[in-house]
Amino acid sequence: MTKMLQHSGYEEERLQRVAELLPCREVQAGMLLSLMGQPQQCSYPSIFIYGHRASGKSHVMQVLLKELELPHATVSCVECVSVALLFEQVLLSFFGCDAASLLPRSPSLSDFVRIYRQHCSQTPAKQTRYIVMEKAELLRDTDANLLPALLRLQELVDDNVTIILLSEIVWDKFRPNTGCFEPLLLHFPDYSKGELQQILSQDKHPSYSAEFYSSYINILLGVFYSVCRDLRELRHLAALNFSKFCEPLAEGKVKETDTHKLWRNIEPHLKKAMQTVYLREVSSLQWEQLQQMEERECGALRGLSAHTHVELPYYSKFLLIAAYLASYNPARTDKRFFLKHHGKIRKTNFLKKNEKTSNHLLGPKPFPLDRLLAIFYSVVDSRVAPTASIFSQISSLVTLQLLTKVSHDDQLDAPKYKCAVSMDFICAISRTVNFEIIKYLYDFL
Amino acid sequence: TPHRATPSIPSRSLPARQPANVLEEARTRLHVSSVPESLPCREQEFQDIYSFVESKIVDGTGGCMYISGVPGTGKTATVHEVMRCLQHAADVDEIPPFHFIEINGMKMTDPHQAYVQILQKLTGQKATADHAAALLEKRFSNPAPRKETTVLLVDELDLLWTRKQNVMYNLFDWPTRRHARLVVLTIANTMDLPERIMINRVASRLGLTRMSFQPYSFKQLQQIIMSRLNKVKAFEEDALQLVSRKVAALSGDARRCLDICRRATEICEHSAAKPSATGLVGMSHVMEVLNEMFSSSYITAIKCASVQEQLFLRAVIAEFRRLGLEEATFQQVFVQHQALCRVEGLQPISVSEGLAVCQRLGACRLLLLEPSRLGVLQRVRLNVSQDDVLFALKAD
């Protein structure tokens, strides 16, 4: 079934092993192999590989370099918070630790190039050396000279070295403004549904037949393919839900070939999984425990997002309510809501054009502290003194991230805030203090 | 290595070649680094500086002088000439002996290094910047028997600017001390530097002894070249006049003038094989050099750009015309580009090819771009005038 990878520079069996390890990626692996050429041949200075998450970029590179035993350094740019770590890893995997120890405390690019040249003149490359940079989009945030220098490292160090950049972002968003050496671009396309089916069917359960597992994958893809094409995520879901799929079989209710009954059994379960496990509402461990417990319905457990109930002091609740009202009501309607004798104002001819759309769609608006306090005093029934505790409650609401400060930090006289809580949350809060917030919201008039 | 080694570079294995023919002779004479014995056309300035420094040395007092002028007007050369003459006068005991030291703001990593360098040139001591400042302060404020006058030349003064301006302040304050016997000559390019960047107490200490070097007129430039050549017959009269008139009209930079002459001798040498050549540098050679040196490379770059790049520039101009602004986002320009492609009967290019075209033009600085991570939202501006672009696109 698998097309054989063919290249004159490498042994036949090794290529076969590589081909087995890389299902549905023969075209890309073959292209890479032909770019890399025979081990002793000089390769292209830089190759840029891009494709979506879990399209097998790192996997293909790792398998090729490991199985063909090519000298390589794999660097994840997430780990390398400073260029020093990046240089150290490259030198370490090419020349051993005595080269890496030569690097000064905060090495510059020229230090790296100098040490590299020094070592590669001592041990000249018999084979092309490969540097694989994962998550290469982070290279753009480092020194401006790093990415252009890496792209033509072959020229700089005068060695048979190739840089391979892996990223999910297209090359157009990498190009430095001063121009650079253009790498070869190689795209890894997404796996199609058939390919996903083929790859996922490979890790079958030893105690069941391959066709049985394959039909399970078929059902799984039927539910999840429209929302998720991420191979890793699908593989995780497949492993989680397989025991539930096998349950009727273990109880002896159905046979392996009775696909329709198995589907009827698993389908609602999978749909529930989409709302819970897939969104990480319920952790995988909890999900597995739930499946063990027969009596409890799946999803009966409250997920992470249901825990929105927060205990707040009495005045803090009113402060939050006042902040919500200030954020979502236009300032010119305050008079009508919070003053006793405001006269007759009609909604239609009273408002500007842009205020007619729902404020809840446009998001919260910033408001000054004075307006917050004015609304606060009018919604609280009793007389409240503006003590230090009120003001400290405002600032602690900011630290709890229920309010956000939008003005600059050092502006003490008129700070501006935004309310950062949802409608459901504020309704729950106002219910606890017996305040009907809907009556005061302009959008719901 | 020895404790106090003298820095040196390896010596040549063969001595430098002597000039063989007239043109080579002219070339060595016209080299910028071969400063002549006497500077033509700067006699007045020479006299002013000479008498200023001489009077200070004879009186045993101190003072400051500020010398300004556009680059290439012979400021540093004149001051050096003055010092050479004064040194000579001191050697024959016409004036009391003095000490000449020179610092250059551009040769320092930090303005405070000025103290270190002055101290080292005065006494040979090495010290940190703070310590050197204290030592110099002591040296200039205390009386000492048989103290020589020190003449300090500060080149590229504007680079000694610090936020508190303490380096400049000290440099101008020391000459005012009673026992300092320090003459400070400062050189910078702009005439109003004291008014622009110095705070009042620094500017007032600099004083009003100012001198500005006017750019050379074409007659002066011609005279300079003639005196350089010194009877070596390598140039036609008209050619020299053309060079000096062109340079005088643009900047009056003597260095530029010499460079053009030297390049002209090279071109003349290359074309000497032709039978019509007289062996002299003629008008045609000079014209060629002037084209080389003064013409804008942008227009050539646009003319040599690829079809899609030229099309993109046209799209940029079309979009600017439509918007009435000098700025557009890439996606706006790209829509125009696609339309132009269709009009020209070319296959429309993809967005990422369009971005590649745009960013290549940005890398040549024909366009000014925002960082490429903004993608199609990056804004595009022209770095050359629209007329230049249209001229370059139309010329073929």
Side-chain angles (χ1 to χ4, degrees):
Chain A
M1 180 178 79
T2 50
K3 282 172 282 170
M4 273 300 297
L5 289 173
Q6 280 174 343
H7 200 279
S8 55
Y10 304 97
E11 295 159 39
E12 198 73 5
E13 318 131 51
R14 283 199 175 171
L15 288 178
Q16 198 175 348
R17 205 157 57 229
V18 169
E20 277 164 18
L21 283 169
L22 301 175
C24 313
R25 279 287 172 245
E26 292 85 7
V27 182
Q28 282 76 24
M31 173 68 106
L32 270 172
L33 264 185
S34 51
L35 283 178
M36 285 150 70
Q38 292 175 17
Q40 71 282 0
Q41 285 171 343
C42 216
S43 177
Y44 198 77
S46 44
I47 300 171
F48 182 84
I49 299 177
Y50 64 106
H52 278 159
R53 180 165 299 166
S55 55
K57 301 179 294 290
S58 322
H59 180 65
V60 169
M61 272 333 294
Q62 285 314 314
V63 168
L64 273 180
L65 294 174
K66 282 243 172 62
E67 290 294 322
L68 304 177
E69 288 175 6
L70 300 167
H72 67 277
T74 307
V75 184
S76 165
C77 298
V78 181
E79 290 169 25
C80 298
V81 288
S82 72
V83 285
L85 291 169
L86 192 151
F87 295 154
E88 195 181 330
Q89 279 197 25
V90 172
L91 289 176
L92 200 66
S93 39
F94 283 162
F95 307 112
C97 50
D98 47 336
S101 63
L102 278 178
L103 275 176
R105 185 187 287 271
S106 55
S108 63
L109 187 69
S110 61
D111 286 325
F112 169 68
V113 171
R114 177 173 53 81
I115 294 171
Y116 192 108
R117 289 186 81 122
Q118 189 185 328
H119 275 84
C120 88
S121 64
Q122 285 165 15
T123 52
K126 292 187 198 72
Q127 296 179 315
T128 312
R129 295 182 171 127
Y130 294 94
I131 303 177
V132 182
M133 300 263 171
E134 285 171 8
K135 295 249 187 296
E137 57 267 22
L138 290 163
L139 285 177
R140 300 178 297 173
D141 302 324
T142 56
D143 306 341
N145 64 358
L146 185 66
L147 183 60
L150 286 177
L151 288 173
R152 52 197 331 160
L153 191 69
Q154 193 172 82
E155 227 172 286
L156 277 174
V157 298
D158 203 11
D159 183 33
N160 188 2
V161 64
T162 292
I163 295 270
I164 297 168
L165 302 170
L166 308 180
S167 179
E168 292 171 20
I169 298 179
V170 289
W171 171 246
D172 301 323
K173 300 205 168 199
F174 274 74
R175 212 174 272 128
N177 264 4
T178 44
C180 64
F181 181 85
E182 293 282 314
L184 283 181
L185 306 185
L186 188 57
H187 182 231
F188 274 46
D190 283 348
Y191 293 113
S192 67
K193 197 172 180 180
E195 285 171 337
L196 282 174
Q197 166 101 31
Q198 189 188 334
I199 297 167
L200 285 171
S201 304
Q202 276 188 343
D203 32 35
K204 62 182 172 63
H205 203 271
S207 49
Y208 296 97
S209 72
E211 294 84 59
F212 178 68
Y213 194 77
S214 168
S215 68
Y216 165 62
I217 291 299
N218 202 9
I219 293 168
L220 185 90
L221 282 178
V223 175
F224 280 104
Y225 186 69
S226 54
V227 291
C228 170
R229 280 150 208 217
D230 189 333
L231 178 63
R232 282 179 288 182
E233 195 78 38
L234 286 171
R235 189 174 268 165
H236 176 67
L237 287 167
L240 268 186
N241 296 310
F242 187 57
S243 60
K244 180 80 181 172
F245 185 69
C246 303
E247 238 170 42
L249 214 64
E251 288 166 12
K253 281 183 196 160
V254 288
K255 286 190 296 228
E256 265 194 30
T257 47
D258 201 352
T259 329
H260 184 68
K261 273 191 180 156
L262 284 169
W263 177 77
R264 281 247 310 266
N265 178 45
I266 193 72
E267 217 246 342
H269 184 76
L270 288 179
K271 287 220 164 125
K272 200 150 276 168
M274 200 190 302
Q275 286 155 19
T276 52
V277 195
Y278 180 58
L279 298 175
R280 305 287 189 273
E281 287 271 298
V282 172
S283 75
S284 328
L285 189 69
Q286 280 174 319
W287 183 253
E288 276 179 346
Q289 283 169 351
L290 273 180
Q291 283 178 343
Q292 248 106 68
M293 286 185 285
E294 293 298 320
E295 66 271 21
R296 282 184 70 178
E297 183 68 14
C298 291
L301 196 75
R302 288 200 311 163
L304 270 182
S305 68
H307 291 283
T308 51
H309 181 69
V310 178
E311 276 302 330
L312 285 175
Y314 185 69
Y315 286 134
S316 284
K317 285 177 181 170
F318 273 110
L319 279 171
L320 202 58
I321 288 168
Y324 192 85
L325 291 174
S327 254
Y328 287 97
N329 279 350
R332 44 212 269 125
T333 59
D334 282 356
K335 206 170 151 192
R336 158 192 199 162
F337 283 125
F338 303 113
L339 235 58
K340 274 204 180 105
H341 310 289
H342 55 71
K344 282 263 187 275
I345 307 165
R346 305 223 345 261
K347 185 180 177 181
T348 43
N349 54 11
F350 168 66
L351 281 169
K352 285 192 221 147
K353 199 172 147 205
N354 57 351
E355 283 170 351
K356 278 178 186 156
T357 48
S358 167
N359 288 308
H360 278 82
L361 284 179
L362 296 173
K365 305 247 177 333
F367 54 86
L369 179 65
D370 301 344
R371 188 165 164 231
L372 172 71
L373 289 177
I375 296 178
F376 172 67
Y377 288 128
S378 83
V379 293
V380 172
D381 295 332
S382 54
R383 267 187 68 86
V384 190
T387 53
S389 105
I390 294 290
F391 288 101
S392 74
Q393 282 183 38
I394 294 176
S395 63
S396 62
L397 283 176
V398 172
T399 41
L400 288 171
Q401 300 185 345
L402 297 172
L403 294 186
T404 45
K405 201 168 178 178
V406 286
S407 63
H408 201 263
D409 251 350
D410 54 5
Q411 197 179 348
L412 293 174
D413 51 347
K416 287 194 159 189
Y417 299 96
K418 258 187 192 182
C419 187
V421 298
S422 64
M423 179 85 191
D424 297 335
F425 186 89
I426 204 73
C427 284
I429 291 272
S430 47
R431 223 171 293 126
T432 59
V433 290
N434 289 324
F435 180 80
E436 267 191 79
I437 192 158
I438 297 292
K439 265 171 61 180
Y440 287 87
L441 277 171
Y442 178 73
D443 285 344
F444 299 97
L445 225 55
Chain B
T1 51
H3 179 53
R4 286 194 181 196
T6 321
S8 67
I9 54 169
S11 53
R12 295 167 184 259
S13 53
L14 290 172
R17 233 156 32 91
Q18 289 298 315
N21 57 22
V22 181
L23 286 175
E24 280 182 31
E25 171 81 33
R27 204 145 55 224
T28 38
R29 282 170 174 278
L30 287 173
H31 199 282
V32 180
S33 66
S34 62
V35 179
E37 284 302 300
S38 71
L39 292 167
C41 317
R42 285 290 177 231
E43 291 82 11
Q44 184 57 48
E45 285 85 355
F46 175 86
Q47 197 53 52
D48 287 353
I49 301 174
Y50 188 92
S51 52
F52 174 80
V53 179
E54 189 192 29
S55 68
K56 299 292 181 206
I57 292 174
V58 171
D59 298 348
T61 54
C64 290
M65 185 174 203
Y66 177 71
I67 300 168
S68 63
V70 292
T73 47
K75 302 178 294 290
T76 314
T78 308
V79 174
H80 278 144
E81 177 78 16
V82 168
M83 296 326 295
R84 210 163 43 237
C85 287
L86 282 170
Q87 206 78 57
H88 182 72
D91 287 345
V92 298
D93 275 340
E94 279 174 22
I95 54 168
F98 66 94
H99 205 92
F100 172 60
I101 53 179
E102 182 187 358
I103 58 171
N104 189 328
M106 204 158 312
K107 288 184 188 166
M108 286 170 214
T109 50
D110 179 86
H112 295 277
Q113 284 294 311
Y115 299 131
V116 181
Q117 290 197 9
I118 293 171
L119 186 73
Q120 187 166 21
K121 283 173 178 164
L122 268 180
T123 62
Q125 279 174 286
K126 272 189 188 170
T128 60
D130 287 341
H131 190 211
L135 286 176
L136 286 172
E137 178 78 34
K138 210 164 96 187
R139 184 187 168 93
F140 288 127
S141 38
N142 293 342
R146 287 186 292 139
K147 199 181 203 175
E148 285 180 355
T149 301
T150 309
V151 181
L152 173 63
L153 168 62
V154 185
D155 217 339
E156 314 283 355
L157 178 73
D158 35 356
L159 290 169
L160 292 183
W161 187 87
T162 51
R163 222 163 57 80
K164 288 166 98 182
Q165 306 200 356
N166 46 359
V167 178
M168 278 185 176
Y169 176 81
N170 277 334
L171 280 180
F172 302 141
D173 189 42
W174 288 331
T176 61
R177 309 280 167 82
R178 205 153 66 90
H179 304 290
R181 304 190 70 168
L182 178 67
V183 182
V184 178
L185 302 172
T186 54
I187 298 181
N189 286 339
T190 44
M191 196 156 62
D192 56 346
L193 189 77
E195 284 74 30
R196 264 193 314 131
I197 69 168
M198 293 182 199
I199 50 178
N200 281 339
R201 75 192 153 99
V202 177
S204 72
R205 277 174 174 76
L206 175 59
L208 294 171
T209 322
R210 309 248 179 110
M211 167 172 292
S212 72
F213 278 59
Q214 296 304 321
Y216 292 111
S217 68
F218 89 92
K219 282 214 174 102
Q220 288 172 323
L221 285 174
Q222 207 172 352
Q223 202 184 335
I224 289 170
I225 304 172
M226 295 295 267
S227 77
R228 283 285 181 112
L229 286 172
N230 194 18
K231 307 267 167 34
V232 173
K233 186 64 186 154
F235 279 83
E236 283 172 19
E237 285 291 319
D238 294 347
L240 278 190
Q241 195 167 100
L242 179 65
V243 173
S244 38
R245 276 188 189 272
K246 276 278 185 189
V247 174
L250 270 171
S251 61
D253 187 339
R255 287 180 289 208
R256 177 58 75 90
C257 198
L258 294 172
D259 284 340
I260 291 173
C261 289
R262 280 193 314 129
R263 177 73 188 133
T265 59
E266 280 171 9
I267 289 176
C268 179
E269 214 165 36
H270 278 294
S271 59
K274 286 179 200 156
S276 64
T278 54
L280 287 186
V281 180
M283 289 289 264
S284 59
H285 304 127
V286 170
M287 281 309 288
E288 204 174 317
V289 181
L290 289 172
N291 273 337
E292 237 175 56
M293 285 194 151
F294 290 114
S295 68
S296 147
S297 50
Y298 284 121
I299 290 175
T300 328
I302 296 173
K303 275 184 187 167
C304 300
S306 70
V307 174
Q308 291 290 352
E309 283 166 351
Q310 291 185 344
L311 214 55
F312 192 83
L313 285 172
R314 277 172 59 191
V316 169
I317 290 183
E319 187 62 25
F320 285 177
R321 295 240 167 105
R322 193 182 69 84
L323 291 172
L325 295 171
E326 292 284 291
E327 191 176 84
T329 61
F330 172 78
Q331 50 188 0
Q332 290 172 320
V333 176
F334 191 66
V335 170
Q336 293 279 351
H337 186 100
Q338 298 283 54
L340 276 176
C341 275
R342 273 185 225 109
V343 169
E344 297 282 319
L346 296 167
Q347 186 73 36
I349 59 174
S350 71
V351 177
S352 85
E353 283 167 324
L355 272 169
V357 165
C358 174
Q359 284 162 0
R360 213 175 96 82
L361 290 172
C364 323
R365 308 299 290 162
L366 287 170
L367 297 179
L368 296 175
L369 297 178
E370 287 185 303
S372 58
R373 65 174 67 191
L374 294 172
V376 293
L377 293 177
Q378 60 181 318
R379 278 178 298 207
V380 178
R381 283 164 64 191
L382 274 178
N383 197 23
V384 277
S385 75
Q386 295 195 12
D387 297 336
D388 283 2
V389 177
L390 290 176
F391 171 74
L393 292 175
K394 223 166 260 169
D396 53 66

